[in-house]
Amino acid sequence: MDDPAPDVSAELPLRDVVAALESLYPLESAADWDRVGLVAGDLDQPVRRILFALDPTLAVIDEARTWGADLLVTHHPLLLRGVHSVATTGAKGASVTALVRSGIALWVGHTNADVADPGVSTVLADALGLATQRPLSTEGAYAVGRVGELPSPMRLAEFADVVAAALPATAGGIRVSGDADAQVRTIAVMGGSGDDRFDDVRASGADVYVTADLRHHPVLEAREESRGGPPFLIDAGHWATESLWLASGRERLLAALEHDPGATRVEARVSAIRTEPWTFVVGANAARADRVAPETGGVS
């Protein structure tokens, strides 16, 4: 069944929606290198439909246009690094042009959504069933990551299955470093890229660290430091570990708007597009512990 036609009487000005978003995810809590907040749009334009997505890709912008969205809320910035042209010959320019031509505003909640409570890592910890949660570390007044406890100890392999079941499916699956039969209970999580937090993870006493974008050298050094023991590592994918936040962001925004005096009905949905860039893998699990890797001739 098609979505009902928007009720014109239910319009809110963009400025009211932005105010609600920034009450939930304050811009001042973002990292100083980040580019968050309103990227495109007129604060006086009406908002009836809001689409939440992890990335402001061309396909997502087209989805927003097709659905009739007035506002696109994404986790990742469109213009994080310097852009010197918005010509449609480049993807960034084509994205900006598509937003402006379609009258779609863009608001970004990135590191300010990471450190919120509930935020990206809180939602991930909740999805994994972690109790007695606490921050993994702090940056100023803001919590970074989460640490919590499983209801009871389990094997690392069993916990990896819990992670796989809790997160959306991806082409790359889940990578695990550690003894499959090791007993684990204390879990640290960081949605998105997290291989700069190994010192914090060791200090937390975690048995396992669930995050994404783990690179060869930092992981190898972390495993060397642990001498084969905990913390074991699970790379669950950037898109998968962060995308769970979208539903939480949608629910919190709608609740905030309902409590706004004079607020009227606004529709919001989470994008159906998976913006994970990977499409397939070859040779997964082809390497086994009983096979010796060939000499590489050095470190690169």
Side-chain angles (χ1 to χ4, degrees):
M1 179 181 293
D2 293 335
D3 292 300
D7 180 358
V8 176
S9 66
E11 295 176 353
L12 277 176
L14 177 60
R15 68 175 66 254
D16 289 358
V17 182
V18 167
L21 284 165
E22 294 178 1
S23 71
L24 300 171
Y25 309 106
L27 302 188
E28 60 269 22
S29 67
D32 56 9
W33 51 262
D34 207 0
R35 299 293 179 265
V36 298
L38 189 64
V39 178
D42 181 339
L43 287 172
D44 292 322
Q45 72 185 74
V47 174
R48 298 172 300 271
R49 287 181 166 178
I50 305 168
L51 183 68
F52 280 76
L54 200 67
D55 301 280
T57 63
L58 287 165
V60 167
I61 293 170
D62 188 60
E63 177 190 22
R65 180 191 58 77
T66 300
W67 182 50
D70 307 290
L71 171 62
L72 175 60
V73 175
T74 66
H75 181 53
H76 292 141
L78 175 62
L79 304 173
L80 181 60
R81 298 177 178 85
V83 174
H84 305 289
S85 170
V86 289
T88 57
T89 50
K92 297 294 186 185
S95 298
V96 171
T97 299
L99 288 167
V100 173
R101 284 181 172 173
S102 302
I104 302 171
L106 172 63
W107 188 91
V108 173
H110 190 209
T111 52
N112 50 325
D114 288 338
V115 301
D117 187 12
V120 172
S121 292
T122 316
V123 173
L124 175 58
D126 289 344
L128 298 181
L130 303 185
T132 61
Q133 294 180 25
R134 61 188 188 274
L136 172 61
S137 63
T138 58
E139 291 183 356
Y142 304 108
V144 177
R146 302 295 284 176
V147 180
E149 306 291 323
L150 293 170
S152 60
M154 64 179 67
R155 296 169 56 244
L156 176 60
E158 293 173 324
F159 177 63
D161 286 337
V162 169
V163 176
L167 299 184
T170 65
I174 291 172
R175 299 187 297 171
V176 183
S177 180
D179 180 356
D181 293 322
Q183 293 289 301
V184 302
R185 186 169 190 177
T186 303
I187 312 297
V189 303
M190 171 75 77
S193 302
D195 65 11
D196 60 343
R197 295 288 172 177
F198 289 138
D199 289 343
D200 295 328
V201 173
R202 282 190 288 269
S204 75
D207 300 314
V208 185
Y209 180 35
V210 180
T211 187
D213 294 346
L214 294 181
R215 297 167 294 167
H216 174 87
H217 294 303
V219 168
L220 186 59
E221 291 172 3
R223 298 302 296 137
E224 288 283 284
E225 289 295 335
S226 69
R227 305 299 195 273
F232 306 114
L233 305 177
I234 293 182
D235 186 331
H238 198 120
W239 178 82
T241 57
E242 291 188 330
S243 62
L244 296 178
W245 170 78
L246 299 173
S248 170
R250 171 190 174 276
E251 292 166 6
R252 294 189 74 204
L253 175 61
L254 290 177
L257 292 175
E258 287 175 2
H259 288 90
D260 183 13
T264 49
R265 177 176 171 271
V266 172
E267 293 181 78
R269 66 161 59 164
V270 173
S271 170
I273 295 176
R274 187 186 76 181
T275 55
E276 181 196 28
W278 307 110
T279 53
F280 66 93
V281 296
V282 176
N285 290 323
R288 299 197 307 263
D290 59 352
R291 293 180 181 175
V292 179
E295 292 290 339
T296 62
V299 176
S300 61

